[in-house]
Amino acid sequence: MSDSPTLSRRHLLAGLGAAAALGSLDSAAASAQAELANPAGNRGPHTELEEATVADLQAKMTRGELSAVELTTAYLARIVALDRTGPTLRSVIEINPDSGQIARELDRERGEKGPRGPLHGIPVLIKDNIDTADGMLTTAGSLAMTGTRPTRDATVAARLRAAGAVILGKTNLSEWANFRSTRSTSGWSGRGGQTRNPYALDRNPCGSSSGSGVAAAANLAAITVGTETDGSIVCPSTTNGIVGIKPTLGLVSRAGIIPIAHSQDTAGPMCRTVADAAVLLAALAGPDPRDPDGLPGARFDLDFTGALGRNDLRGRRIGVVRSQWGLHPEIDRLADAAVATLKQLGAEVFDPVELPEPDGKDEGLVLRVEFKADLEAYLATRPPGSPRTLAELIAWNEAHRAQEMPWFGQELFEQSVDKPPLTDPEYREARDRNRKKAGPDGIDAALAKHRLDALVAPTGGPAWPTDWINGDHYTGGNSSPAAVAGYPHITVPMGFVHGLPVGFSFLGTAWSDALLVELAHAFEGATQARRKPEYRPRTVPM
């Protein structure tokens, strides 16, 4: 059941012209601005869409009470009212000019043949490092990449289209997925500006999938997609009060996604509910010959929605990574309550369980070596008109310093440009050593010691104030073990610290994604911790 107001054709069509129904952001602006004049304007137009789930929307379309065109138009109006004006979240970097036409074709197909599946006609926003061969750019937030467009969809985008989703647009991000500078500000890109946290606009949304996290939290699309190398799905999910799934490495194809490092990169769902994230993961997952390191054939059932049937945790054994306590006293209190909830749901809890942290120096070496090789392989797929090597990209940024580097530099680029090839023994030893420490000797060993199904811990600290001069004030988190091991990690809203959302993490071994969905769904059902954002100007009134 959803607590969203009743969706109706009357609400969705009110004030929207025919041009807006075609997906034009500019045309939608006039009606959205009219909505802003009312007392509830800070929540944006079409408040009936707030917290609407994929199932809610699909049921309305099945009954003929809602069309994909109407739904697409309504989300565009919310983007204008909340992202481009009003609170000015800056989470959406570009609107798909074809979104209205796509929605219209999907409505026609539904009428003639029925829906393709649960995502038929559902608007989705995807991160601006995921290739689309359409009227949109794919830039990783960098102005250097605006001279060309990809010639082929990323597999993620192709799977969404095949599922019948409406790709509504691209989300802003920490430029180059936060792998440009050691002094970066998460959520900032040269192309998109600074994404703002909808719970307190002076706070940071975390990165690098900041735009996807904010857009999901603010109900600017039904679902969103982010990417992670280490923390870039789970951190913006916890700080924006949503569910994030960092899948097992290889479950979702990386083909056509601007890379950092193939040893850790993955795309994944960022949604308001576990059920929506499970539906989206089922659409994204599967083998792909374009990704040689991806899922080797039909390894297991990819229908993650089957894990949503249970509302208790009886028979499950869960370990508590107590070393992750201490981020903040209020987070500790919430996490203790979360552990108590697991027990109330029938889980057998083992507390504490030790989990070693991967070696940061080894991880840094791996990321820098793979970044140069993987990025240059990707750049070679783009038509002429943008930099083709990391050295060319560094030179472009220097030549456009005022636009691209007004606040921080490109130290990570410079540290990567002279790194050795992927055949380098030191790199390979660091990769294998750290992966073993995080996986077999880390998560797997902790699970095996007590015959556990999963591990839990608070996901991270509360959002910090955005600071362009000093960069991020990262408040801690537990993303590295699963990221380095290539194992799944799900974060679910846990509660609030002074009005700022924080999440609770479920970690497991490779290919245990469906099991973690089951655990996270039961926890979500028992806690119902998510609240809609209020777009406060600052955390504490001045």
Side-chain angles (χ1 to χ4, degrees):
M1 295 290 291
S2 169
D3 62 358
S4 61
T6 301
L7 293 166
S8 71
R9 187 179 299 269
R10 177 177 63 82
H11 282 114
L12 288 168
L13 289 179
L16 293 174
L22 295 177
S24 166
L25 186 63
D26 292 337
S27 300
S31 58
Q33 291 289 357
E35 296 268 8
L36 284 172
N38 68 40
N42 66 326
R43 290 172 57 196
H46 302 291
T47 55
E48 69 279 0
L49 289 179
E50 291 181 338
E51 308 304 284
T53 67
V54 169
D56 293 334
L57 301 173
Q58 199 60 245
K60 287 286 183 181
M61 289 191 282
T62 297
R63 293 194 297 265
E65 299 170 6
L66 177 65
S67 71
V69 167
E70 293 164 358
L71 186 56
T72 296
T73 301
Y75 277 124
L76 288 171
R78 285 188 62 81
I79 290 171
V80 172
L82 295 172
D83 208 69
R84 302 298 174 86
T85 55
T88 319
L89 300 175
R90 299 191 186 94
S91 66
V92 180
I93 205 167
E94 185 171 7
I95 288 296
N96 185 358
D98 302 324
S99 58
Q101 181 62 34
I102 293 169
R104 184 166 29 247
E105 288 298 317
L106 288 167
D107 282 336
R108 180 191 58 78
E109 182 181 322
R110 180 188 291 271
E112 294 177 355
K113 302 177 182 178
R116 300 181 192 181
L119 292 186
H120 190 109
I122 299 296
V124 55
L125 287 165
I126 65 176
K127 191 174 176 180
D128 183 41
N129 59 353
I130 300 172
D131 283 351
T132 54
D134 52 19
M136 294 186 290
L137 298 170
T138 304
T139 68
S142 170
L143 295 170
M145 298 297 290
T146 58
T148 65
R149 284 184 169 85
T151 59
R152 185 177 182 181
D153 274 348
T155 300
V156 163
R159 287 189 182 278
L160 288 169
R161 295 191 204 276
V166 179
I167 298 180
L168 190 61
K170 300 284 185 76
T171 56
N172 199 8
L173 69 162
S174 307
E175 187 176 301
W176 294 106
N178 228 358
F179 203 78
R180 199 192 83 185
S181 173
T182 57
R183 300 179 61 83
S184 66
T185 299
S186 291
W188 185 92
S189 73
R191 185 175 173 224
Q194 179 65 54
T195 305
R196 303 206 283 180
N197 191 307
Y199 289 89
L201 301 177
D202 66 331
R203 295 274 158 168
N204 197 269
C206 198
S208 68
S209 303
S210 48
S212 296
V214 171
N219 290 274
L220 303 185
I223 50 179
T224 71
V225 178
T227 67
E228 173 163 329
T229 304
D230 188 339
S232 289
I233 287 175
V234 297
C235 186
S237 294
T238 186
T239 57
N240 291 286
I242 63 169
V243 174
I245 300 181
K246 199 286 290 186
T248 297
L249 192 72
L251 180 60
V252 176
S253 173
R254 285 79 56 86
I257 299 177
I258 299 177
I260 291 179
H262 61 268
S263 288
Q264 296 180 203
D265 288 349
T266 183
M270 302 176 70
C271 305
R272 290 177 294 277
T273 68
V274 174
D276 283 357
V279 169
L280 180 52
L281 183 58
L284 299 178
D288 179 18
R290 294 178 62 195
D291 185 350
D293 297 322
L295 183 66
R299 187 181 184 110
F300 57 90
D301 185 3
L302 299 178
D303 180 12
F304 300 98
T305 59
L308 303 174
R310 289 184 54 178
N311 295 317
D312 64 71
L313 298 177
R314 285 176 294 178
R316 296 304 185 191
R317 299 163 65 89
I318 298 176
V320 176
V321 184
R322 186 62 61 170
S323 62
Q324 291 298 320
W325 269 243
L327 298 173
H328 189 284
E330 284 299 300
I331 291 180
D332 289 352
R333 181 185 64 80
L334 290 168
D336 285 339
V339 172
T341 297
L342 299 178
K343 295 177 181 178
Q344 291 166 6
L345 289 169
E348 189 174 359
V349 173
F350 295 80
D351 183 5
V353 171
E354 294 183 4
L355 181 64
E357 280 287 320
D359 187 290
K361 184 177 180 182
D362 278 349
E363 183 183 12
L365 174 60
V366 170
L367 298 189
R368 285 164 176 79
V369 170
E370 292 190 1
F371 178 66
K372 180 187 178 183
D374 294 353
L375 180 64
E376 292 188 348
Y378 169 83
L379 293 174
T381 70
R382 295 286 287 257
S386 297
R388 305 301 288 266
T389 66
L390 183 53
E392 289 180 13
L393 186 55
I394 291 171
W396 196 98
N397 287 340
E398 286 291 347
H400 300 83
R401 175 173 283 274
Q403 296 79 28
E404 273 292 350
M405 298 193 291
W407 301 110
F408 53 88
Q410 52 182 342
E411 299 88 359
L412 292 176
F413 280 12
E414 293 163 350
Q415 293 168 13
S416 303
V417 70
D418 293 326
K419 283 290 180 281
L422 298 176
T423 55
D424 179 68
E426 182 183 1
Y427 149 73
R428 292 189 170 211
E429 290 169 6
R431 179 198 61 192
D432 295 345
R433 180 171 57 243
N434 218 27
R435 184 180 290 168
K436 184 174 184 291
K437 183 176 182 180
D441 294 347
I443 293 174
D444 289 339
L447 295 173
K449 184 174 181 179
H450 300 289
R451 295 180 290 113
L452 303 175
D453 295 297
L455 305 173
V456 295
T459 307
W464 58 90
T466 294
D467 183 348
W468 295 335
I469 296 173
N470 296 303
D472 285 337
H473 307 288
Y474 183 58
T475 53
N478 68 13
S479 63
S480 290
V484 173
Y487 290 1
H489 180 174
I490 300 181
T491 180
V492 181
M494 177 175 68
F496 289 80
V497 174
H498 298 294
L500 299 171
V502 290
F504 194 60
S505 288
F506 295 81
L507 293 78
T509 190
W511 314 111
S512 65
D513 306 67
L515 172 58
L516 297 190
V517 167
E518 173 194 302
L519 304 179
H521 182 252
F523 175 81
E524 176 191 59
T527 55
Q528 295 291 306
R530 174 171 159 77
R531 297 202 307 259
K532 293 177 289 189
E534 297 177 353
Y535 314 106
R536 293 175 296 155
R538 57 188 62 86
T539 311
V540 179
M542 300 297 289

